[in-house]
Amino acid sequence: MTNPRRTVVGNISLSLDGRVNGPGGDFDMSWIVPHAATPVTLDHMIRVTAPATTVLLGRKNYQGFGGYWPTVADDESAPEQSRQFSRWLNAVEKVVFSSTLEHAGWQNSWITASDPATAVKELRGQPGGDIIVLASASVIRALLAADELDRLSITLCPELVGGGTPLFDTTLVPGSWTLVDSTPGESGTLCLLYDRQRG
């Protein structure tokens, strides 16, 4: 039996041309930097992540996040929202999708070779809060293709990157989404929340 209270959320930053990275590949993210740590985008991040007790990550994002976020909680020079996010991220369950990673050293982490849709169906049957994908486009795309995503949290950045990986492709299940929140940011971003229409 599924737990209807466990909303599955995909949280990601996108360029105006729908890309999750630039033409330089997975780590071509410099276009996001001017927009990532403004008060509005940080507040949006806290608001979207706070109800979640499980985080879903691909291997690359797990390793990238794990190399940065664990120590931010105690960094007095970091913005309070970043420290709050770090404390939350250290504490929550972190599910890592990987067929090659052998060890998950970050506290409260575990690795699965399962596909994201199967894992989410199992997690929905367990007690807990929201289940959120943090910036892992491949995981979000897999959940969209299986129609297992309930909410999309998009930070739309005012940048055209002219290449790179698109979030949306032809594998996705057609469907309607309802805009439930739209917050403009200081740098020209739009923080958007869409809920999947069902039934």
Side-chain angles (χ1 to χ4, degrees):
M1 176 178 288
T2 62
N3 181 349
R5 293 172 296 179
R6 298 208 79 180
T7 300
V8 181
V9 183
N11 181 72
I12 199 158
S13 294
L14 287 182
S15 66
L16 286 178
D17 47 347
R19 310 292 175 161
V20 298
N21 54 38
D26 290 339
F27 302 104
D28 185 354
M29 308 292 286
S30 60
W31 53 275
I32 290 177
V33 173
H35 313 291
T38 68
V40 165
T41 55
L42 288 173
D43 284 346
H44 175 78
M45 177 177 66
I46 295 297
R47 182 161 49 98
V48 170
T49 57
T53 55
T54 300
V55 170
L56 308 181
L57 293 163
R59 176 186 60 79
K60 292 175 185 176
N61 273 343
Y62 176 75
Q63 292 176 319
F65 280 34
Y68 176 77
W69 281 110
T71 60
V72 174
D74 299 319
D75 183 355
E76 294 183 0
S77 67
E80 177 53 36
Q81 298 105 315
S82 295
R83 297 179 68 188
Q84 182 180 344
F85 178 75
S86 173
R87 290 191 292 270
W88 167 84
L89 192 52
N90 284 333
V92 295
E93 173 187 38
K94 291 170 282 292
V95 181
V96 189
F97 295 97
S98 176
S99 59
T100 59
L101 198 63
E102 296 181 353
H103 178 67
W106 198 353
Q107 66 194 73
N108 304 317
S109 300
W110 55 278
I111 302 165
T112 180
S114 172
D115 67 277
T118 299
V120 160
K121 288 174 183 175
E122 293 174 357
L123 288 166
R124 283 188 192 271
Q126 301 171 10
D130 288 357
I131 301 163
I132 189 164
V133 187
L134 291 182
S136 294
S138 61
V139 178
I140 292 175
R141 201 178 297 113
L143 294 178
L144 285 168
D147 203 15
E148 286 289 343
L149 202 68
D150 303 313
R151 175 170 294 164
L152 264 173
S153 167
I154 295 172
T155 299
L156 189 64
C157 300
E159 308 283 346
L160 293 172
V161 297
T165 305
L167 177 62
F168 304 111
D169 62 22
T170 58
T171 66
L172 307 184
V173 172
S176 297
W177 295 73
T178 300
L179 179 66
V180 294
D181 191 70
S182 174
T183 306
E186 300 89 341
S187 68
T189 55
L190 270 179
C191 297
L192 303 166
L193 279 180
Y194 288 93
D195 281 354
R196 178 75 166 97
Q197 293 182 17
R198 300 189 189 278

